[in-house]
Amino acid sequence: QVQLVESGGGLVQAGGSLRLSCAASGRTFSRVAMGWFRQAPGKEREFVAAVSGSGGTTPYADSVKGRFTISRDNAKNTVYLQMDSLIPEDTAVYYCAARGPLNATPRTRVQEYAYWGQGTQVTVSS
């Protein structure tokens, strides 16, 4: 069983920055791909970014490419999402997710992630 705990959300003005963190339990963290998703009110949960087990592959959604950066520190069992140049459309609950055991390849679909955090609210004011 993997437990994920997000932190770092909050209220920020448009153009500002936030860094989300996701602390994961489990001894095989470095072998598992991690992802960030978000869900705005009335909308489906959507892919934001993902990172391979080694950290070398990082796909992004087109809507955040060039503004967000995903990274991981396997020594700390933590994945990060640095969000810069935030816009009101980025407002959502952000979820950290982990793929199943030994799945190190990052994916973009919700169905391909086995474990989820509780979510952290990000609100961008105009």
Side-chain angles (χ1 to χ4, degrees):
Q1 186 73 14
V2 174
Q3 291 187 327
L4 305 173
V5 179
E6 302 103 332
S7 61
L11 173 64
V12 63
Q13 289 188 331
S17 298
L18 282 174
R19 187 174 85 151
L20 305 183
S21 299
C22 173
S25 65
R27 292 178 294 175
T28 59
F29 177 78
S30 64
R31 303 179 188 179
V32 175
M34 302 290 294
W36 285 98
F37 291 75
R38 67 186 181 186
Q39 188 166 17
K43 295 188 176 181
E44 293 187 352
R45 192 167 299 188
E46 65 175 6
F47 170 74
V48 175
V51 59
S52 61
S54 66
T57 303
T58 54
Y60 292 91
D62 287 344
S63 59
V64 307
K65 202 171 293 183
R67 301 188 298 120
F68 290 11
T69 304
I70 189 170
S71 62
R72 65 189 297 160
D73 184 339
N74 286 340
K76 296 182 178 180
N77 276 19
T78 301
V79 62
Y80 305 97
L81 185 68
Q82 177 67 41
M83 305 185 294
D84 299 318
S85 302
L86 284 160
I87 59 178
E89 290 77 13
D90 294 321
T91 295
V93 177
Y94 283 70
Y95 296 91
C96 174
R99 296 203 66 203
L102 304 181
N103 281 318
T105 303
R107 300 296 189 192
T108 63
R109 298 192 307 164
V110 169
Q111 301 91 319
E112 297 189 274
Y113 287 80
Y115 306 100
W116 293 84
Q118 81 287 354
T120 185
Q121 177 71 45
V122 171
T123 302
V124 184
S125 63
S126 58

mmCIF file of all heavy atoms in Angstrom, residues 9 11 16 20-21 24 36-37 68-69 71 77 94 110 126:
data_model
loop_
_atom_site.group_PDB
_atom_site.id
_atom_site.type_symbol
_atom_site.label_atom_id
_atom_site.label_comp_id
_atom_site.label_asym_id
_atom_site.label_seq_id
_atom_site.Cartn_x
_atom_site.Cartn_y
_atom_site.Cartn_z
ATOM 1 N N GLY A 9 -0.424 23.856 -1.608
ATOM 2 C CA GLY A 9 -1.460 24.613 -2.302
ATOM 3 C C GLY A 9 -1.767 25.917 -1.594
ATOM 4 O O GLY A 9 -1.263 26.191 -0.498
ATOM 5 N N LEU A 11 -3.639 30.227 -2.203
ATOM 6 C CA LEU A 11 -4.176 31.305 -3.033
ATOM 7 C C LEU A 11 -3.022 32.157 -3.539
ATOM 8 O O LEU A 11 -2.157 32.571 -2.757
ATOM 9 C CB LEU A 11 -5.141 32.150 -2.213
ATOM 10 C CG LEU A 11 -5.677 33.425 -2.868
ATOM 11 C CD1 LEU A 11 -6.531 33.091 -4.087
ATOM 12 C CD2 LEU A 11 -6.483 34.241 -1.851
ATOM 13 N N GLY A 16 1.839 34.607 -10.473
ATOM 14 C CA GLY A 16 2.639 34.136 -9.357
ATOM 15 C C GLY A 16 3.052 32.681 -9.498
ATOM 16 O O GLY A 16 2.804 32.035 -10.526
ATOM 17 N N LEU A 20 4.103 22.621 -5.302
ATOM 18 C CA LEU A 20 3.419 21.536 -4.623
ATOM 19 C C LEU A 20 4.411 20.415 -4.330
ATOM 20 O O LEU A 20 5.322 20.165 -5.104
ATOM 21 C CB LEU A 20 2.285 20.982 -5.489
ATOM 22 C CG LEU A 20 1.242 21.983 -5.986
ATOM 23 C CD1 LEU A 20 0.156 21.254 -6.764
ATOM 24 C CD2 LEU A 20 0.653 22.779 -4.845
ATOM 25 N N SER A 21 4.190 19.762 -3.200
ATOM 26 C CA SER A 21 5.004 18.611 -2.821
ATOM 27 C C SER A 21 4.093 17.425 -2.565
ATOM 28 O O SER A 21 2.945 17.584 -2.139
ATOM 29 C CB SER A 21 5.818 18.903 -1.559
ATOM 30 O OG SER A 21 6.702 19.977 -1.751
ATOM 31 N N ALA A 24 5.588 10.413 -0.359
ATOM 32 C CA ALA A 24 5.080 9.060 -0.571
ATOM 33 C C ALA A 24 5.704 8.080 0.407
ATOM 34 O O ALA A 24 6.884 8.188 0.743
ATOM 35 C CB ALA A 24 5.383 8.616 -2.000
ATOM 36 N N TRP A 36 0.934 14.209 -11.569
ATOM 37 C CA TRP A 36 0.057 15.234 -10.999
ATOM 38 C C TRP A 36 -1.148 15.394 -11.930
ATOM 39 O O TRP A 36 -0.999 15.480 -13.157
ATOM 40 C CB TRP A 36 0.777 16.572 -10.880
ATOM 41 C CG TRP A 36 1.773 16.645 -9.765
ATOM 42 C CD1 TRP A 36 3.123 16.474 -9.852
ATOM 43 C CD2 TRP A 36 1.486 16.929 -8.384
ATOM 44 N NE1 TRP A 36 3.702 16.620 -8.614
ATOM 45 C CE2 TRP A 36 2.721 16.896 -7.703
ATOM 46 C CE3 TRP A 36 0.331 17.197 -7.669
ATOM 47 C CZ2 TRP A 36 2.818 17.131 -6.313
ATOM 48 C CZ3 TRP A 36 0.433 17.424 -6.308
ATOM 49 C CH2 TRP A 36 1.657 17.400 -5.642
ATOM 50 N N PHE A 37 -2.320 15.434 -11.329
ATOM 51 C CA PHE A 37 -3.566 15.676 -12.036
ATOM 52 C C PHE A 37 -4.283 16.831 -11.345
ATOM 53 O O PHE A 37 -3.939 17.194 -10.214
ATOM 54 C CB PHE A 37 -4.450 14.419 -12.009
ATOM 55 C CG PHE A 37 -3.900 13.277 -12.827
ATOM 56 C CD1 PHE A 37 -2.832 12.522 -12.370
ATOM 57 C CD2 PHE A 37 -4.446 12.962 -14.057
ATOM 58 C CE1 PHE A 37 -2.307 11.468 -13.129
ATOM 59 C CE2 PHE A 37 -3.945 11.913 -14.824
ATOM 60 C CZ PHE A 37 -2.876 11.174 -14.354
ATOM 61 N N PHE A 68 5.030 24.853 -15.955
ATOM 62 C CA PHE A 68 5.131 23.936 -14.814
ATOM 63 C C PHE A 68 6.333 23.015 -15.007
ATOM 64 O O PHE A 68 6.678 22.644 -16.133
ATOM 65 C CB PHE A 68 3.877 23.068 -14.703
ATOM 66 C CG PHE A 68 2.624 23.793 -14.285
ATOM 67 C CD1 PHE A 68 2.548 25.175 -14.226
ATOM 68 C CD2 PHE A 68 1.488 23.070 -13.940
ATOM 69 C CE1 PHE A 68 1.393 25.829 -13.835
ATOM 70 C CE2 PHE A 68 0.316 23.701 -13.549
ATOM 71 C CZ PHE A 68 0.268 25.086 -13.503
ATOM 72 N N THR A 69 6.920 22.617 -13.879
ATOM 73 C CA THR A 69 8.045 21.680 -13.912
ATOM 74 C C THR A 69 7.843 20.618 -12.841
ATOM 75 O O THR A 69 7.675 20.951 -11.665
ATOM 76 C CB THR A 69 9.375 22.401 -13.665
ATOM 77 O OG1 THR A 69 9.547 23.450 -14.618
ATOM 78 C CG2 THR A 69 10.539 21.422 -13.766
ATOM 79 N N SER A 71 9.396 17.305 -10.813
ATOM 80 C CA SER A 71 10.678 16.713 -10.448
ATOM 81 C C SER A 71 10.464 15.764 -9.282
ATOM 82 O O SER A 71 9.392 15.751 -8.680
ATOM 83 C CB SER A 71 11.700 17.798 -10.083
ATOM 84 O OG SER A 71 11.252 18.536 -8.957
ATOM 85 N N ASN A 77 11.712 10.382 -1.129
ATOM 86 C CA ASN A 77 10.392 9.833 -1.485
ATOM 87 C C ASN A 77 9.384 10.955 -1.754
ATOM 88 O O ASN A 77 8.230 10.902 -1.302
ATOM 89 C CB ASN A 77 9.850 8.914 -0.389
ATOM 90 C CG ASN A 77 10.387 7.499 -0.504
ATOM 91 O OD1 ASN A 77 11.403 7.267 -1.161
ATOM 92 N ND2 ASN A 77 9.726 6.559 0.128
ATOM 93 N N TYR A 94 -5.465 19.878 -6.922
ATOM 94 C CA TYR A 94 -4.362 19.145 -7.532
ATOM 95 C C TYR A 94 -4.111 17.857 -6.757
ATOM 96 O O TYR A 94 -4.006 17.879 -5.526
ATOM 97 C CB TYR A 94 -3.111 20.008 -7.559
ATOM 98 C CG TYR A 94 -3.152 21.055 -8.656
ATOM 99 C CD1 TYR A 94 -4.020 22.139 -8.577
ATOM 100 C CD2 TYR A 94 -2.352 20.948 -9.777
ATOM 101 C CE1 TYR A 94 -4.087 23.078 -9.595
ATOM 102 C CE2 TYR A 94 -2.398 21.888 -10.801
ATOM 103 C CZ TYR A 94 -3.274 22.947 -10.696
ATOM 104 O OH TYR A 94 -3.325 23.881 -11.711
ATOM 105 N N VAL A 110 -5.853 8.852 -16.112
ATOM 106 C CA VAL A 110 -6.224 8.631 -14.716
ATOM 107 C C VAL A 110 -6.244 7.138 -14.389
ATOM 108 O O VAL A 110 -5.773 6.719 -13.317
ATOM 109 C CB VAL A 110 -7.606 9.262 -14.443
ATOM 110 C CG1 VAL A 110 -8.146 8.823 -13.099
ATOM 111 C CG2 VAL A 110 -7.534 10.778 -14.525
ATOM 112 N N SER A 126 -7.454 36.668 -10.435
ATOM 113 C CA SER A 126 -7.099 37.541 -11.575
ATOM 114 C C SER A 126 -6.836 38.967 -11.136
ATOM 115 O O SER A 126 -7.076 39.330 -9.995
ATOM 116 C CB SER A 126 -8.224 37.511 -12.603
ATOM 117 O OG SER A 126 -9.428 37.923 -12.010
#
